[in-house]
Amino acid sequence: MNDPLAWLMNIVIMLPGIVIGLSFHEYAHALVAYKLGDDTPKLQGRVTINPLAHIDPIGFLAILLIRFGWGKPVEIYPGNFKNRRRDSILVSLAGVMMNLLIAIFFTLVLKLMVTVIDYNFFVTGMGNSIFMMVYYVIFINLMLMIFNLLPVPPLDGFSIVTEVFNLRKSEFYYCVSNRGFLILMVLIVFNITGLVLTPVISFLMDMVETVLYL
């Protein structure tokens, strides 16, 4: 915040990645749940890519200010699924798979840009901003994918682990899920999530840069 203009410009550059990442992540959850027989997301207006349906105002503001936030979770009723465990896993995986697909798509877009457009454009202010905007779409979606795969409630990874190992009826499940947000905050505050995320994201972004400059 020593340079408010630079901070604001950084927010503007990151904003498309944040909006796209959160909106499509939650849309994927809603769409897959609806296709598997649960009308709840459809009735609540969540089967849409409209960001207004998925962005939680407080969570969105937190992302802008402290670089950690959240979208509006998609409510589902697993009792509507034909195969509760399998379909719950598919719904949980849908969000992270959507983030992966978006990251791959924009990597290809960026590859096309650096191949077709003259390099001198990217050293201009506008060119660099456009490059970084697309780059952040890739980075943020990979970050969302890896972060949501952590087996900690209320993240998708915990839901996947719960269904794979059929933990829902266990005492462990209720003990952990009831304290999920607190556990997650402790992991974030003490940077334990960072110890996991940083090397994985660095590896994935190295792969992205390898693709860009092949």
Side-chain angles (χ1 to χ4, degrees):
M1 294 300 292
N2 292 332
D3 188 345
L5 187 60
W7 177 82
L8 182 60
M9 188 62 189
N10 191 45
I11 292 296
V12 171
I13 290 173
M14 292 178 60
L15 200 56
I18 295 170
V19 172
I20 291 171
L22 288 179
S23 300
F24 277 82
H25 180 96
E26 300 301 341
Y27 165 70
H29 284 315
L31 179 64
V32 173
Y34 175 62
K35 292 294 184 181
L36 291 174
D38 184 14
D39 290 337
T40 308
K42 180 72 172 179
L43 295 173
Q44 294 182 344
R46 303 300 301 278
V47 187
T48 175
I49 59 173
N50 183 352
L52 296 178
H54 304 297
I55 289 178
D56 180 280
I58 297 176
F60 187 69
L61 184 62
I63 292 175
L64 299 181
L65 295 178
I66 63 174
R67 299 297 190 269
F68 170 76
W70 54 89
K72 189 186 300 181
V74 172
E75 295 182 27
I76 62 171
Y77 181 60
N80 288 328
F81 297 146
K82 292 180 181 179
N83 185 320
R84 177 171 179 154
R85 288 181 62 194
R86 181 201 66 192
D87 294 348
S88 294
I89 291 172
L90 291 175
V91 171
S92 296
L93 283 172
V96 295
M97 290 305 298
M98 178 63 82
N99 290 133
L100 177 60
L101 291 174
I102 291 171
I104 292 172
F105 174 76
F106 278 94
T107 297
L108 296 176
V109 169
L110 204 56
K111 172 65 174 178
L112 183 63
M113 287 171 57
V114 299
T115 302
V116 174
I117 300 174
D118 189 285
Y119 172 79
N120 292 324
F121 173 73
F122 294 110
V123 298
T124 65
M126 178 181 292
N128 182 64
S129 296
I130 293 172
F131 179 91
M132 291 306 300
M133 196 172 288
V134 178
Y135 185 86
Y136 267 120
V137 173
I138 300 166
F139 176 81
I140 289 169
N141 275 275
L142 289 176
M143 177 68 77
L144 284 172
M145 179 186 74
I146 301 303
F147 180 73
N148 276 284
L149 283 173
L150 294 176
V152 181
L155 304 178
D156 298 324
F158 183 74
S159 300
I160 294 168
V161 169
T162 295
E163 300 302 339
V164 168
F165 295 101
N166 199 20
L167 301 177
R168 196 170 293 277
K169 295 180 181 179
S170 68
E171 184 177 340
F172 169 81
Y173 170 80
Y174 290 101
C175 179
V176 174
S177 60
N178 289 337
R179 299 169 176 82
F181 193 76
L182 177 61
I183 294 171
L184 184 59
M185 288 299 100
V186 170
L187 293 176
I188 291 170
V189 169
F190 288 97
N191 199 37
I192 298 172
T193 52
L195 295 176
V196 176
L197 293 175
T198 300
V200 178
I201 294 298
S202 295
F203 172 75
L204 293 175
M205 292 309 296
D206 285 344
M207 291 180 62
V208 169
E209 293 185 11
T210 299
V211 171
L212 293 181
Y213 299 110
L214 279 176

